[in-house]
Amino acid sequence: MKIDKDAPVGVFDSGVGGLTVAREIMRNLPSEKIVYFGDTARVPYGNKSKETIIRYSRQIIRFLLEQQVKAIVIACNTASAFALDAVREELEIPILGVIEPGAYVAAKETKNKRVGVIGTIGTVGSGIHEAFLRKLDPDITVIGKACPLFVPLVEEGWLHDPVTKEVAQRYLGELKEKEIDTLILGCTHYPLLRSTIREVMGEGVRLVNPAYESALTLGRILEREGLLRTDGGREEFPYRFYVSDLADEFKTFANSILPYDVEMTQKIDIEKY
Amino acid sequence: MKIDKDAPVGVFDSGVGGLTVAREIMRNLPSEKIVYFGDTARVPYGNKSKETIIRYSRQIIRFLLEQQVKAIVIACNTASAFALDAVREELEIPILGVIEPGAYVAAKETKNKRVGVIGTIGTVGSGIHEAFLRKLDPDITVIGKACPLFVPLVEEGWLHDPVTKEVAQRYLGELKEKEIDTLILGCTHYPLLRSTIREVMGEGVRLVNPAYESALTLGRILEREGLLRTDGGREEFPYRFYVSDLADEFKTFANSILPYDVEMTQKIDIEKY
């Protein structure tokens, strides 16, 4: 199969969180076209089973292939943890998740070999970061902590708020006690809480943002495969956003995250795929 | 159609919240058999569109009819608000939601005609409580307030917690200022926050628990239709619990809400209905 270098990159998430990944691709690979799918009808993925997440991911990938994407980024930690291995073999185009790029940087940068991971119950419970980190360096100790209130706090818009700080202190206290020097923000919403997390963890802890690292990894993969766009002409293809429900709320949130106004979002019946 | 008086009552919700309604039916109508369905694969409903909620409700009702229930309680405010009218006409057995019973009691009990309603974004945004209350008494002023963090706080188990109290003060401050004398707990999770809400609102405000009122209404409807069970024999039919995902987590939460241990939960592929 000959892959079209000028085709867009497909990015998907359970909802709006993956927009932090799309944002990093826009910033770091400005020539790339993007088709984004947010599964807002079935959000959140964090409390669903592996079997369900694989089924949802396959449906979304079928939709993205119909949009003729040249590569796919699973911009959702839960789906990366549960579905990436299952779907990778089924595809002829490159696909990457957000777990590996973040784990790789954390393994490289930790000095005391104590790495923290925060995320949803599903992601942390999967132990996927630990598995990657230990494969990269068996001496690393991984301390995971699920932070289920962080996503609703972000979606409520309480990004810089005493309640959010108190919740962060509660969740992160354990990680501080265990003296980690590196913390992976293992959920796509969490970069939006970066300043609160930074305040609670202190300057001594390196915060790893997998959204940023995944954008860089995508660039390296596209270059290796001869698929990186370097020419202009991106402007002729406005970023495209699809959702499975309630396009208006998505737009409001997207406009608060992205550096420009999202003009077009379209609703897709994803269960048909 | 002849309805079997000895058949179970079907109760459904987007997830675990409706168990507060099942609990009130168990307490107030102890002879009734119950089949409960929690749509844990597609929870939450609160941020989904009307069209989606109607589709989900129809699927669940088809499943419950297969279980040969004699009546159905929609133990979910969002589904009651969005789907009850659409599905009522399609059924030959009685069906009720949790909106009407709560609104009826609030309209009867308010003295100053100022009633507050708290719930999810979907429920409050639907204006359904206001529509019912105003039909019952056009002089009533309804003040609605969405409290999206309450459900994740309950699910985190922070029922009596300073963070939950601070969040409650933030959400309910506006309702206090507007001097309501009656407050409808318009989401099935909220009765579990009753003591925190009571503390914040003070003793002067009547808290209406639609779960309790719905159980009483169900009893009246069953009696009127000659379908109320009064004999024994309920024990031979253990309460049955079905979910669309992750039966184990459901069981843990159910066991913390219900006055006995849930022994059997079974996973159903609800999208096949």
Side-chain angles (χ1 to χ4, degrees):
Chain A
M1 190 182 89
K2 174 87 176 79
I3 305 171
D4 179 9
K5 179 177 153 177
D6 283 326
V9 172
V11 179
F12 78 89
D13 178 40
S14 57
V16 294
L19 290 170
T20 61
V21 178
R23 178 173 68 170
E24 296 294 345
I25 298 172
M26 293 170 188
R27 282 179 184 159
N28 294 285
L29 306 171
S31 297
E32 295 301 335
K33 304 166 185 175
I34 297 174
V35 174
Y36 183 94
F37 181 84
D39 198 0
T40 47
R42 306 187 293 197
V43 70
Y45 282 7
N47 54 0
K48 295 188 174 76
S49 68
K50 180 167 181 164
E51 185 193 343
T52 299
I53 300 304
I54 292 175
R55 187 161 55 81
Y56 288 179
S57 300
R58 283 203 177 109
Q59 289 176 318
I60 298 168
I61 288 168
R62 278 194 284 272
F63 167 73
L64 289 173
L65 291 175
E66 205 179 83
Q67 309 303 308
Q68 302 185 298
V69 298
K70 67 177 173 183
I72 292 175
V73 180
I74 307 185
C76 168
N77 283 271
T78 307
S80 298
F82 285 173
L84 180 59
D85 281 346
V87 300
R88 191 168 359 216
E89 296 167 10
E90 301 161 5
L91 284 173
E92 296 184 60
I93 58 172
I95 182 163
L96 69 147
V98 284
I99 309 277
E100 238 169 316
Y104 184 78
V105 169
K108 206 175 59 178
E109 305 216 346
T110 178
K111 299 276 184 295
N112 72 2
K113 309 280 184 197
R114 301 179 69 79
V115 176
V117 178
I118 53 177
T120 62
I121 295 171
T123 303
V124 173
S126 75
I128 184 94
H129 287 92
E130 179 157 9
F132 268 122
L133 285 161
R134 299 289 292 269
K135 203 161 64 181
L136 294 166
D137 182 345
D139 293 337
I140 290 178
T141 300
V142 180
I143 299 120
K145 176 71 188 169
C147 306
L149 283 163
F150 276 177
V151 168
L153 283 165
V154 168
E155 292 186 346
E156 188 69 325
W158 296 8
L159 302 183
H160 311 279
D161 190 287
V163 166
T164 307
K165 190 164 176 198
E166 170 62 30
V167 171
Q169 275 165 338
R170 199 83 66 87
Y171 283 145
L172 305 177
E174 196 182 318
L175 297 175
K176 284 186 77 170
E177 270 170 34
K178 296 205 173 146
E179 298 183 334
I180 58 163
D181 74 348
T182 305
L183 176 61
I184 299 176
L185 308 182
C187 170
T188 50
H189 279 68
Y190 296 1
L192 301 170
L193 296 176
R194 192 187 177 92
S195 66
T196 302
I197 294 169
R198 157 72 54 226
E199 226 180 301
V200 172
M201 294 305 295
E203 290 298 325
V205 173
R206 163 84 158 95
L207 302 184
V208 176
N209 178 358
Y212 172 73
E213 307 301 343
S214 299
L216 299 192
T217 303
L218 172 66
R220 281 192 294 268
I221 292 173
L222 292 178
E223 187 158 28
R224 191 187 67 205
E225 305 285 330
L227 293 172
L228 191 70
R229 289 194 89 237
T230 41
D231 315 335
R234 212 285 299 156
E235 297 68 23
E236 290 154 30
F237 184 97
Y239 294 128
R240 295 209 309 248
F241 299 90
Y242 297 93
V243 292
S244 47
D245 202 5
L246 273 192
D248 277 355
E249 278 193 21
F250 177 87
K251 212 150 72 178
T252 310
F253 197 83
N255 287 340
S256 77
I257 291 185
L258 298 176
Y260 72 98
D261 272 2
V262 170
E263 276 157 30
M264 201 204 73
T265 62
Q266 199 180 326
K267 193 180 143 180
I268 296 298
D269 184 356
I270 195 65
E271 283 173 32
K272 291 218 174 113
Y273 282 85
Chain B
M1 190 183 88
K2 174 85 177 81
I3 305 171
D4 178 8
K5 179 177 153 178
D6 283 327
V9 172
V11 179
F12 77 89
D13 178 39
S14 57
V16 294
L19 290 170
T20 61
V21 178
R23 178 173 68 170
E24 296 295 343
I25 298 172
M26 294 170 188
R27 283 177 183 160
N28 294 286
L29 306 171
S31 298
E32 295 302 334
K33 304 166 185 174
I34 297 175
V35 175
Y36 184 94
F37 181 84
D39 197 1
T40 48
R42 304 187 294 196
V43 70
Y45 282 5
N47 54 0
K48 295 188 175 77
S49 67
K50 181 168 180 163
E51 185 193 342
T52 299
I53 300 303
I54 291 175
R55 188 160 56 81
Y56 288 179
S57 300
R58 284 203 176 108
Q59 289 176 319
I60 297 168
I61 288 168
R62 279 194 282 272
F63 167 74
L64 290 173
L65 290 175
E66 205 180 85
Q67 309 303 307
Q68 302 186 299
V69 298
K70 66 177 174 184
I72 291 176
V73 181
I74 306 184
C76 168
N77 283 271
T78 307
S80 298
F82 285 174
L84 180 58
D85 281 345
V87 300
R88 190 166 3 214
E89 296 167 10
E90 301 161 4
L91 285 171
E92 295 184 61
I93 58 171
I95 182 163
L96 69 147
V98 284
I99 310 276
E100 237 168 316
Y104 183 77
V105 169
K108 205 175 61 180
E109 304 216 346
T110 179
K111 300 276 182 294
N112 72 0
K113 309 279 183 199
R114 303 179 68 78
V115 175
V117 178
I118 53 177
T120 63
I121 294 172
T123 304
V124 172
S126 75
I128 184 95
H129 286 92
E130 178 156 11
F132 268 122
L133 285 162
R134 299 288 292 269
K135 202 161 66 180
L136 293 165
D137 182 346
D139 292 336
I140 290 178
T141 300
V142 180
I143 299 120
K145 175 72 187 167
C147 305
L149 284 163
F150 277 177
V151 168
L153 284 164
V154 168
E155 292 186 346
E156 188 68 326
W158 296 9
L159 302 183
H160 311 278
D161 190 288
V163 166
T164 306
K165 191 165 176 198
E166 170 62 31
V167 172
Q169 276 164 339
R170 199 84 66 88
Y171 283 146
L172 304 177
E174 195 182 318
L175 297 175
K176 285 187 76 171
E177 269 170 34
K178 297 206 171 144
E179 297 183 337
I180 58 164
D181 74 347
T182 305
L183 177 61
I184 299 177
L185 308 181
C187 170
T188 49
H189 279 68
Y190 295 2
L192 301 170
L193 295 177
R194 192 188 177 91
S195 66
T196 302
I197 295 169
R198 157 72 54 226
E199 226 180 302
V200 172
M201 294 306 295
E203 290 298 325
V205 173
R206 163 85 159 95
L207 302 184
V208 176
N209 178 358
Y212 172 73
E213 307 301 343
S214 300
L216 299 192
T217 303
L218 172 67
R220 282 191 294 268
I221 292 173
L222 293 178
E223 186 158 28
R224 191 187 67 204
E225 305 285 330
L227 293 173
L228 191 69
R229 288 194 89 238
T230 41
D231 313 337
R234 211 285 300 157
E235 297 68 24
E236 291 153 30
F237 184 97
Y239 295 129
R240 294 208 309 246
F241 300 91
Y242 297 93
V243 291
S244 46
D245 202 4
L246 272 193
D248 278 354
E249 278 192 21
F250 177 87
K251 213 150 73 178
T252 310
F253 196 83
N255 287 340
S256 76
I257 292 185
L258 297 176
Y260 72 98
D261 272 3
V262 170
E263 276 156 30
M264 200 205 72
T265 62
Q266 200 181 324
K267 192 179 144 182
I268 297 298
D269 183 357
I270 195 65
E271 283 172 33
K272 291 219 174 112
Y273 282 84

